[in-house]
Amino acid sequence: QVQLVESGGGLVQAGGSLRLSCTTSGSIARMRVLAWYRQAAGKQREMVGSLTRRDNVSQYADSVKGRFTISSSIDMKTQYLQMTSLKPEDTAVYYCYQREDWTGNEYWGQGTQVTVST
């Protein structure tokens, strides 16, 4: 059974940085998409960014482009979201997400709260 567990959320001042981690356990295909989503209070969940391991292509939402970076450990057991120049509007629950290329199986983490204060 595949499980994703996030860590690293918390309270940070505007302009600060934070790094989220998502640890994968269980048997999962190496070729997959790694992504981060977020959901602010009263809003729909939105994709922050994604990384396709097959071709190492990453893409980001316009709102975080140039500030956030997705990466993973070499063994792909952990994915990261490095967040810099944080803004109050980045406040949300952040979720890691993975999808296997061949099976289409999808997995979600439980979410971690990020709060950016002014």
Side-chain angles (χ1 to χ4, degrees):
Q1 183 179 358
V2 175
Q3 285 189 320
L4 307 183
V5 178
E6 296 109 337
S7 60
L11 175 65
V12 63
Q13 285 190 327
S17 299
L18 210 56
R19 189 176 80 160
L20 305 183
S21 300
C22 174
T23 302
T24 307
S25 62
S27 178
I28 190 169
R30 185 172 181 82
M31 289 298 108
R32 60 190 191 269
V33 174
L34 311 176
W36 289 91
Y37 285 74
R38 68 184 181 186
Q39 187 168 19
K43 294 187 177 181
Q44 287 189 330
R45 191 173 296 190
E46 62 174 354
M47 190 176 76
V48 172
S50 66
L51 172 63
T52 303
R53 288 305 346 184
R54 178 174 296 278
D55 49 14
N56 272 337
V57 171
S58 60
Q59 55 183 5
Y60 299 92
D62 287 343
S63 58
V64 306
K65 206 170 289 183
R67 299 188 298 122
F68 290 11
T69 304
I70 295 176
S71 63
S72 73
S73 59
I74 293 176
D75 62 5
M76 292 186 65
K77 288 294 187 182
T78 307
Q79 71 182 77
Y80 304 99
L81 181 66
Q82 179 67 49
M83 304 183 291
T84 63
S85 302
L86 282 162
K87 305 175 182 179
E89 51 263 44
D90 294 320
T91 295
V93 177
Y94 284 72
Y95 300 87
C96 61
Y97 164 91
Q98 296 183 13
R99 187 185 73 244
E100 294 177 317
D101 285 4
W102 292 109
T103 66
N105 290 336
E106 300 177 308
Y107 307 96
W108 289 92
Q110 82 286 357
T112 186
Q113 176 71 45
V114 172
T115 303
V116 184
S117 64
T118 54

